[in-house]
Amino acid sequence: MIKVVHMNEVSELEYEQFFKEGHAKDQKPQEDWAKEHGYFLELEGQRIGYFVLYPVKGGVWLRKLLMKEQANPALIIMTFEWISEYAQRVGYERLFAHVDDPNRETLFEMNHFKESAQSPYPKANLDGKWYEKLLIVNAE
């Protein structure tokens, strides 16, 4: 079973250890927002990934996603679903992602993201495309 663990439930040592053990080695985020809005994904008691859900206008931005180097490709696909379910459970209606590598666009499209017409976080001033996934579908 998958478990989402917020950074305030993790010691500094556990945080540091995740990034030293080859799980996204040398990619440890240094920004304050990475800890404030960061989460670990645990599967059967093992930390398999780290992600940041950064609140933005109209939803939340999947600002960072780092997986264990040896993560099964099927797990990576499921990760998007687990993150979407978590974001919906905590009350967000839209999940945004920024893609600056055209090779990754297909991955987002496979996970029900659609290209967004506008940036949910204009201050970011990033090259590339924004994608969004509707998490809550209103019944008509």
Side-chain angles (χ1 to χ4, degrees):
M1 178 174 205
I2 196 73
K3 182 177 178 185
V4 176
V5 180
H6 191 276
M7 289 304 302
N8 64 11
E9 299 175 42
V10 176
S11 73
E12 185 67 29
L13 180 62
E14 291 173 299
Y15 179 72
E16 295 288 332
Q17 194 65 38
F18 179 82
F19 294 100
K20 286 183 181 172
E21 294 177 342
H23 313 324
K25 194 173 185 171
D26 301 324
Q27 295 184 40
K28 182 179 85 168
Q30 300 297 324
E31 303 85 358
D32 290 339
W33 52 259
K35 285 189 178 178
E36 182 179 351
H37 303 289
Y39 300 85
F40 281 113
L41 278 173
E42 293 182 356
L43 182 63
E44 299 173 359
Q46 297 292 316
R47 291 205 173 110
I48 62 167
Y50 168 83
F51 66 98
V52 174
L53 289 179
Y54 191 86
V56 293
K57 183 179 178 183
V60 67
W61 171 14
L62 177 57
R63 191 163 182 177
K64 179 137 336 246
L65 173 59
L66 303 169
M67 298 295 291
K68 280 186 173 182
E69 291 175 1
Q70 70 273 21
N72 179 325
L75 273 181
I76 294 169
I77 300 294
M78 288 302 301
T79 297
F80 284 96
E81 192 60 35
W82 294 326
I83 292 171
S84 298
E85 288 171 3
Y86 180 77
Q88 181 179 3
R89 191 168 57 244
V90 296
Y92 292 104
E93 294 183 9
R94 286 187 167 81
L95 177 62
F96 294 94
H98 181 263
V99 182
D100 60 1
D101 178 354
N103 296 320
R104 294 187 183 172
E105 290 177 14
T106 303
L107 180 62
F108 284 91
E109 291 166 356
M110 285 175 42
N111 283 283
H112 309 289
F113 282 80
K114 299 203 180 322
E115 193 171 338
S116 181
Q118 56 182 273
S119 166
Y121 194 70
K123 288 194 275 185
N125 196 23
L126 301 169
D127 291 331
K129 297 179 183 177
W130 284 96
Y131 280 78
E132 71 177 284
K133 180 177 183 179
L134 186 61
L135 301 175
I136 297 173
V137 178
N138 296 326
E140 295 196 30

